[in-house]
Amino acid sequence: MNPLPLTAPAAALAETLTGDGLPAYIYDLTALDAHAREIRDALPPHVELYYAAKANPEPPVLRALAPYVTGYEVASGGELAHVREAVPERPLAFGGPGKTETELRRALELGVERFHVESEHELRLLSSLADRPVDVLLRVNLPLTDEALGGAALAMGGRPSPFGLDPDRVERCLPLFTPDGPLRLRGIHAHLASGLDAPDQTAVAAGIADWTRELSDRHGLDLTEVNVGGGMGVDYLRPDTRFDWKAYGEGLAGVADRNPGLTLRIEPGRALTAYCGWYVTEVLDLKHSRGEAFAVLRGGTHHLRTPAAKAHDHPFQVLPAADWDRDWPRPTASGEPVTLVGQLCTPKDVLARGVPVAELRAGDRIAFAMAGAYAWNISHHDFLMHPKPGFHYLGG
Ligand SMILES: *Cc1c(COP(=O)(O)O)cnc(C)c1O
């Protein structure tokens, strides 16, 4: 496995962290800046880029992305207040299922620019609360078949789902947009899949845009916006590969050409921030059990739940530590597969299973890569009451 090594500044910082300074999250905001710039440059200028804050809402991360994104997608009242404070004045799109009345009121007060509405009930609730004009995108659970996707070997959306509206239910919502009511239907939102490559993502975007234009034409709606969601692929087993943003940008340019008058918007999370973070820790113990090697790390899945959530072996790099000042032999694994576990008293606390290492010893450090998205913020921090990791933001 290619580990996606620490950047030079992150490696230099990792060198200085020892003992209770570990585990630590290290974010390289300079690397994030370069990555976000590359993505923005690959997209046609008129395609809007929103960042889905749920991937990583740390304020320095939100601020580092600010030069490159049009706005932010938030999916709760908590994210809404948090993102408004971290990056004031930036457009927000408020999505997510189960919005409460309190959240909707707050979103109206805070002047949220776009509401992604998930159901007819939510639309009626929003309408009853709105005391100002409100721009709405209806979220649709579109069935996109192989045929609609131009032969791509995919079929997505269209299955029973708690997210969004079935297409026929979209039509039933249309009468709720009345000329003298507060709601204005601006367009359609869909977030149908994750982990797709650029050609498949392009096909999905094309399918959503075509459907939106047809809906608009059929009902004379003058829809002007389509948000085709996030989900751009991030491959944890091949950390050195990246989603092909150039190809996707070219694909979106084609979709935009075929749909004049429709503003295209995307809202990736993971593919923007996954690569800029590392979770660095140390090997507390290295033991053999019935022929298998286990490295017990300081920390665990209560800090980095990603491998448990995705059921994968998380990519890591060994940072050897030369010093061993105990007067007994150093626990070591050599040229054999090692399972990396955390400090939690549960067999589920596994970060990587049976991964071959040249050498791993107690006291060596481990840097887990691709820990910049869906990592710390999806983890169950308080389970077993171990200390929280340190947080370090480099550059930016
Ligand atoms: C989670 C989510 C995203 C971001 O998905 P990624 O896989 O992180 O790109 C975008 N839009 C919606 C509606 C989401 O729920």
Side-chain angles (χ1 to χ4, degrees):
M1 183 179 341
N2 181 324
L4 183 65
L6 289 154
T7 58
L13 174 65
E15 276 293 306
T16 69
L17 300 173
T18 54
D20 291 340
L22 296 170
Y25 270 96
I26 301 179
Y27 301 98
D28 188 332
L29 300 178
T30 306
L32 176 59
D33 180 277
H35 182 56
R37 178 190 304 267
E38 204 173 300
I39 291 173
R40 182 59 266 183
D41 287 350
L43 297 170
H46 48 274
V47 168
E48 295 186 356
L49 173 62
Y50 274 54
Y51 172 58
K54 80 171 189 280
N56 183 339
E58 297 290 333
V61 168
L62 297 175
R63 286 194 291 266
L65 291 172
Y68 307 107
V69 300
T70 313
Y72 297 81
E73 191 257 356
V74 297
S76 75
E79 284 190 354
L80 180 59
H82 171 85
V83 176
R84 230 345 161 225
E85 195 182 325
V87 277
E89 320 268 316
R90 301 308 296 266
L92 300 183
F94 183 21
K99 299 178 191 74
T100 67
E101 184 172 330
T102 305
E103 287 176 316
L104 289 171
R105 281 186 197 282
R106 192 77 188 113
L108 288 164
E109 276 167 25
L110 288 174
V112 162
E113 282 74 9
R114 290 289 176 282
F115 287 78
H116 295 169
V117 172
E118 298 255 349
S119 76
E120 184 177 332
H121 165 68
E122 189 176 289
L123 190 65
R124 288 182 187 278
L125 182 59
L126 179 61
S127 179
S128 74
L129 300 173
D131 48 6
R132 62 166 174 94
V134 175
D135 288 323
V136 170
L137 303 193
L138 291 176
R139 180 172 180 179
V140 187
N141 175 22
L142 269 189
L144 295 182
T145 61
D146 281 10
E147 196 187 353
L149 294 173
L154 291 171
M156 59 193 38
R159 285 179 287 275
S161 163
F163 305 119
L165 291 140
D166 290 354
D168 58 318
R169 289 182 184 264
V170 170
E171 312 231 330
R172 281 170 39 184
C173 287
L174 298 180
L176 298 173
F177 296 91
T178 56
D180 48 351
L183 306 183
R184 305 194 186 332
L185 181 59
R186 293 294 181 205
I188 293 297
H189 170 242
H191 172 71
L192 296 175
S194 66
L196 301 186
D197 65 12
D200 287 347
Q201 278 282 3
T202 302
V204 169
I208 299 165
D210 289 349
W211 188 86
T212 301
R213 186 172 31 75
E214 283 160 23
L215 178 80
S216 186
D217 291 349
R218 198 159 59 243
H219 295 276
L221 296 174
D222 191 27
L223 300 183
T224 54
E225 300 177 19
V226 58
N227 182 327
V228 298
M232 293 70 186
V234 168
D235 190 343
Y236 289 88
L237 301 183
R238 294 186 304 150
D240 51 343
T241 64
R242 290 283 193 283
F243 183 80
D244 189 344
W245 287 99
K246 265 203 149 56
Y248 189 49
E250 284 159 17
L252 289 180
V255 175
D257 284 348
R258 280 202 310 283
N259 295 283
L262 264 192
T263 297
L264 291 183
R265 187 175 300 141
I266 64 173
E267 51 180 20
R270 191 187 303 270
L272 266 167
T273 50
Y275 304 98
C276 77
W278 288 263
Y279 176 64
V280 180
T281 187
E282 65 174 345
V283 179
L284 292 174
D285 201 351
L286 207 151
K287 44 205 273 197
H288 286 82
S289 167
R290 300 174 190 269
E292 288 187 24
F294 291 85
V296 183
L297 309 182
R298 197 190 274 255
T301 54
H302 53 306
H303 296 164
L304 178 68
R305 202 172 78 88
T306 322
K310 303 276 291 177
H312 67 208
D313 297 322
H314 209 84
F316 67 89
Q317 166 191 13
V318 177
L319 308 170
D323 298 349
W324 179 256
D325 53 12
R326 315 276 187 203
D327 54 9
W328 57 84
R330 192 170 183 179
T332 299
S334 294
E336 59 187 309
V338 177
T339 292
L340 306 186
V341 303
Q343 292 172 285
L344 303 183
C345 310
T346 157
K348 303 213 162 152
D349 191 21
V350 176
L351 296 136
R353 197 180 293 277
V355 178
V357 295
E359 185 176 62
L360 190 61
R361 306 161 299 180
D364 285 339
R365 268 164 284 162
I366 298 276
F368 289 97
M370 303 173 83
Y374 303 104
W376 166 250
N377 68 317
I378 64 159
S379 307
H380 43 297
H381 310 147
D382 292 330
F383 187 41
L384 263 85
M385 300 178 72
H386 285 292
K388 303 231 180 323
F391 286 85
H392 306 273
Y393 300 92
L394 299 172

PDB file of all heavy atoms in Angstrom, residues 52-70:
ATOM      1  N   ALA A  52     -19.223  20.773   1.170  1.00  0.00           N
ATOM      2  CA  ALA A  52     -20.128  20.130   2.124  1.00  0.00           C
ATOM      3  C   ALA A  52     -19.431  20.083   3.477  1.00  0.00           C
ATOM      4  O   ALA A  52     -18.536  19.268   3.717  1.00  0.00           O
ATOM      5  CB  ALA A  52     -20.488  18.718   1.651  1.00  0.00           C
ATOM      6  N   ALA A  53     -19.853  20.961   4.384  1.00  0.00           N
ATOM      7  CA  ALA A  53     -19.124  21.166   5.642  1.00  0.00           C
ATOM      8  C   ALA A  53     -19.072  19.913   6.508  1.00  0.00           C
ATOM      9  O   ALA A  53     -18.170  19.776   7.331  1.00  0.00           O
ATOM     10  CB  ALA A  53     -19.753  22.314   6.430  1.00  0.00           C
ATOM     11  N   LYS A  54     -19.992  18.989   6.327  1.00  0.00           N
ATOM     12  CA  LYS A  54     -19.996  17.829   7.216  1.00  0.00           C
ATOM     13  C   LYS A  54     -18.742  16.972   7.059  1.00  0.00           C
ATOM     14  O   LYS A  54     -18.391  16.220   7.958  1.00  0.00           O
ATOM     15  CB  LYS A  54     -21.256  16.983   7.027  1.00  0.00           C
ATOM     16  CG  LYS A  54     -21.272  16.042   5.836  1.00  0.00           C
ATOM     17  CD  LYS A  54     -22.501  15.119   5.942  1.00  0.00           C
ATOM     18  CE  LYS A  54     -22.492  14.004   4.930  1.00  0.00           C
ATOM     19  NZ  LYS A  54     -22.941  14.416   3.589  1.00  0.00           N
ATOM     20  N   ALA A  55     -18.027  17.114   5.936  1.00  0.00           N
ATOM     21  CA  ALA A  55     -16.806  16.321   5.743  1.00  0.00           C
ATOM     22  C   ALA A  55     -15.727  16.713   6.753  1.00  0.00           C
ATOM     23  O   ALA A  55     -14.995  15.850   7.256  1.00  0.00           O
ATOM     24  CB  ALA A  55     -16.276  16.487   4.325  1.00  0.00           C
ATOM     25  N   ASN A  56     -15.607  17.997   7.013  1.00  0.00           N
ATOM     26  CA  ASN A  56     -14.671  18.498   8.031  1.00  0.00           C
ATOM     27  C   ASN A  56     -14.972  19.970   8.272  1.00  0.00           C
ATOM     28  O   ASN A  56     -14.617  20.811   7.457  1.00  0.00           O
ATOM     29  CB  ASN A  56     -13.215  18.337   7.589  1.00  0.00           C
ATOM     30  CG  ASN A  56     -12.237  18.793   8.684  1.00  0.00           C
ATOM     31  OD1 ASN A  56     -12.598  19.559   9.585  1.00  0.00           O
ATOM     32  ND2 ASN A  56     -11.012  18.334   8.609  1.00  0.00           N
ATOM     33  N   PRO A  57     -15.638  20.276   9.373  1.00  0.00           N
ATOM     34  CA  PRO A  57     -16.058  21.663   9.614  1.00  0.00           C
ATOM     35  C   PRO A  57     -15.082  22.469  10.471  1.00  0.00           C
ATOM     36  O   PRO A  57     -15.453  23.526  10.974  1.00  0.00           O
ATOM     37  CB  PRO A  57     -17.383  21.468  10.357  1.00  0.00           C
ATOM     38  CG  PRO A  57     -17.182  20.192  11.132  1.00  0.00           C
ATOM     39  CD  PRO A  57     -16.199  19.339  10.361  1.00  0.00           C
ATOM     40  N   GLU A  58     -13.834  22.005  10.645  1.00  0.00           N
ATOM     41  CA  GLU A  58     -12.892  22.779  11.479  1.00  0.00           C
ATOM     42  C   GLU A  58     -12.730  24.173  10.862  1.00  0.00           C
ATOM     43  O   GLU A  58     -12.484  24.297   9.652  1.00  0.00           O
ATOM     44  CB  GLU A  58     -11.526  22.085  11.522  1.00  0.00           C
ATOM     45  CG  GLU A  58     -11.517  20.705  12.160  1.00  0.00           C
ATOM     46  CD  GLU A  58     -11.737  20.751  13.674  1.00  0.00           C
ATOM     47  OE1 GLU A  58     -11.399  21.782  14.297  1.00  0.00           O
ATOM     48  OE2 GLU A  58     -12.249  19.750  14.206  1.00  0.00           O
ATOM     49  N   PRO A  59     -12.846  25.236  11.682  1.00  0.00           N
ATOM     50  CA  PRO A  59     -12.789  26.592  11.125  1.00  0.00           C
ATOM     51  C   PRO A  59     -11.560  26.881  10.254  1.00  0.00           C
ATOM     52  O   PRO A  59     -11.704  27.497   9.193  1.00  0.00           O
ATOM     53  CB  PRO A  59     -12.850  27.490  12.369  1.00  0.00           C
ATOM     54  CG  PRO A  59     -13.641  26.678  13.345  1.00  0.00           C
ATOM     55  CD  PRO A  59     -13.214  25.242  13.111  1.00  0.00           C
ATOM     56  N   PRO A  60     -10.350  26.436  10.635  1.00  0.00           N
ATOM     57  CA  PRO A  60      -9.218  26.733   9.734  1.00  0.00           C
ATOM     58  C   PRO A  60      -9.385  26.076   8.357  1.00  0.00           C
ATOM     59  O   PRO A  60      -8.932  26.625   7.345  1.00  0.00           O
ATOM     60  CB  PRO A  60      -8.011  26.142  10.472  1.00  0.00           C
ATOM     61  CG  PRO A  60      -8.430  26.044  11.899  1.00  0.00           C
ATOM     62  CD  PRO A  60      -9.906  25.756  11.864  1.00  0.00           C
ATOM     63  N   VAL A  61     -10.041  24.921   8.330  1.00  0.00           N
ATOM     64  CA  VAL A  61     -10.279  24.235   7.057  1.00  0.00           C
ATOM     65  C   VAL A  61     -11.306  25.020   6.235  1.00  0.00           C
ATOM     66  O   VAL A  61     -11.115  25.265   5.037  1.00  0.00           O
ATOM     67  CB  VAL A  61     -10.743  22.784   7.318  1.00  0.00           C
ATOM     68  CG1 VAL A  61     -11.267  22.138   6.043  1.00  0.00           C
ATOM     69  CG2 VAL A  61      -9.607  21.963   7.924  1.00  0.00           C
ATOM     70  N   LEU A  62     -12.386  25.446   6.895  1.00  0.00           N
ATOM     71  CA  LEU A  62     -13.407  26.236   6.187  1.00  0.00           C
ATOM     72  C   LEU A  62     -12.794  27.507   5.624  1.00  0.00           C
ATOM     73  O   LEU A  62     -13.073  27.899   4.485  1.00  0.00           O
ATOM     74  CB  LEU A  62     -14.554  26.596   7.139  1.00  0.00           C
ATOM     75  CG  LEU A  62     -15.357  25.429   7.726  1.00  0.00           C
ATOM     76  CD1 LEU A  62     -16.379  25.954   8.741  1.00  0.00           C
ATOM     77  CD2 LEU A  62     -16.066  24.650   6.632  1.00  0.00           C
ATOM     78  N   ARG A  63     -11.929  28.137   6.419  1.00  0.00           N
ATOM     79  CA  ARG A  63     -11.328  29.408   5.963  1.00  0.00           C
ATOM     80  C   ARG A  63     -10.329  29.172   4.830  1.00  0.00           C
ATOM     81  O   ARG A  63     -10.236  29.966   3.896  1.00  0.00           O
ATOM     82  CB  ARG A  63     -10.659  30.127   7.137  1.00  0.00           C
ATOM     83  CG  ARG A  63     -11.676  30.759   8.096  1.00  0.00           C
ATOM     84  CD  ARG A  63     -11.016  31.733   9.053  1.00  0.00           C
ATOM     85  NE  ARG A  63     -10.156  31.055  10.017  1.00  0.00           N
ATOM     86  CZ  ARG A  63     -10.561  30.683  11.233  1.00  0.00           C
ATOM     87  NH1 ARG A  63     -11.798  30.933  11.645  1.00  0.00           N
ATOM     88  NH2 ARG A  63      -9.724  30.064  12.046  1.00  0.00           N
ATOM     89  N   ALA A  64      -9.586  28.068   4.913  1.00  0.00           N
ATOM     90  CA  ALA A  64      -8.603  27.781   3.854  1.00  0.00           C
ATOM     91  C   ALA A  64      -9.295  27.576   2.508  1.00  0.00           C
ATOM     92  O   ALA A  64      -8.729  27.870   1.457  1.00  0.00           O
ATOM     93  CB  ALA A  64      -7.788  26.542   4.219  1.00  0.00           C
ATOM     94  N   LEU A  65     -10.517  27.060   2.548  1.00  0.00           N
ATOM     95  CA  LEU A  65     -11.237  26.801   1.295  1.00  0.00           C
ATOM     96  C   LEU A  65     -11.906  28.055   0.732  1.00  0.00           C
ATOM     97  O   LEU A  65     -12.284  28.081  -0.445  1.00  0.00           O
ATOM     98  CB  LEU A  65     -12.299  25.725   1.525  1.00  0.00           C
ATOM     99  CG  LEU A  65     -11.757  24.320   1.800  1.00  0.00           C
ATOM    100  CD1 LEU A  65     -12.897  23.387   2.203  1.00  0.00           C
ATOM    101  CD2 LEU A  65     -11.032  23.770   0.575  1.00  0.00           C
ATOM    102  N   ALA A  66     -12.044  29.077   1.558  1.00  0.00           N
ATOM    103  CA  ALA A  66     -12.853  30.246   1.190  1.00  0.00           C
ATOM    104  C   ALA A  66     -12.473  30.866  -0.158  1.00  0.00           C
ATOM    105  O   ALA A  66     -13.357  31.258  -0.920  1.00  0.00           O
ATOM    106  CB  ALA A  66     -12.829  31.290   2.301  1.00  0.00           C
ATOM    107  N   PRO A  67     -11.169  30.976  -0.504  1.00  0.00           N
ATOM    108  CA  PRO A  67     -10.855  31.604  -1.786  1.00  0.00           C
ATOM    109  C   PRO A  67     -11.345  30.810  -2.994  1.00  0.00           C
ATOM    110  O   PRO A  67     -11.419  31.354  -4.098  1.00  0.00           O
ATOM    111  CB  PRO A  67      -9.317  31.651  -1.802  1.00  0.00           C
ATOM    112  CG  PRO A  67      -8.887  31.444  -0.394  1.00  0.00           C
ATOM    113  CD  PRO A  67      -9.961  30.641   0.270  1.00  0.00           C
ATOM    114  N   TYR A  68     -11.658  29.548  -2.816  1.00  0.00           N
ATOM    115  CA  TYR A  68     -11.933  28.680  -3.959  1.00  0.00           C
ATOM    116  C   TYR A  68     -13.391  28.258  -4.074  1.00  0.00           C
ATOM    117  O   TYR A  68     -13.801  27.738  -5.100  1.00  0.00           O
ATOM    118  CB  TYR A  68     -11.031  27.443  -3.897  1.00  0.00           C
ATOM    119  CG  TYR A  68      -9.589  27.848  -3.757  1.00  0.00           C
ATOM    120  CD1 TYR A  68      -8.909  27.686  -2.558  1.00  0.00           C
ATOM    121  CD2 TYR A  68      -8.940  28.475  -4.818  1.00  0.00           C
ATOM    122  CE1 TYR A  68      -7.600  28.115  -2.417  1.00  0.00           C
ATOM    123  CE2 TYR A  68      -7.633  28.922  -4.687  1.00  0.00           C
ATOM    124  CZ  TYR A  68      -6.970  28.733  -3.485  1.00  0.00           C
ATOM    125  OH  TYR A  68      -5.684  29.185  -3.349  1.00  0.00           O
ATOM    126  N   VAL A  69     -14.161  28.423  -3.009  1.00  0.00           N
ATOM    127  CA  VAL A  69     -15.544  27.960  -3.060  1.00  0.00           C
ATOM    128  C   VAL A  69     -16.499  29.140  -3.188  1.00  0.00           C
ATOM    129  O   VAL A  69     -16.214  30.245  -2.728  1.00  0.00           O
ATOM    130  CB  VAL A  69     -15.925  27.102  -1.820  1.00  0.00           C
ATOM    131  CG1 VAL A  69     -15.037  25.869  -1.733  1.00  0.00           C
ATOM    132  CG2 VAL A  69     -15.866  27.902  -0.531  1.00  0.00           C
ATOM    133  N   THR A  70     -17.637  28.862  -3.837  1.00  0.00           N
ATOM    134  CA  THR A  70     -18.689  29.872  -3.931  1.00  0.00           C
ATOM    135  C   THR A  70     -19.418  29.978  -2.598  1.00  0.00           C
ATOM    136  O   THR A  70     -19.839  31.045  -2.185  1.00  0.00           O
ATOM    137  CB  THR A  70     -19.701  29.460  -5.024  1.00  0.00           C
ATOM    138  OG1 THR A  70     -18.982  29.068  -6.194  1.00  0.00           O
ATOM    139  CG2 THR A  70     -20.639  30.605  -5.360  1.00  0.00           C
TER     140      THR A  70
END
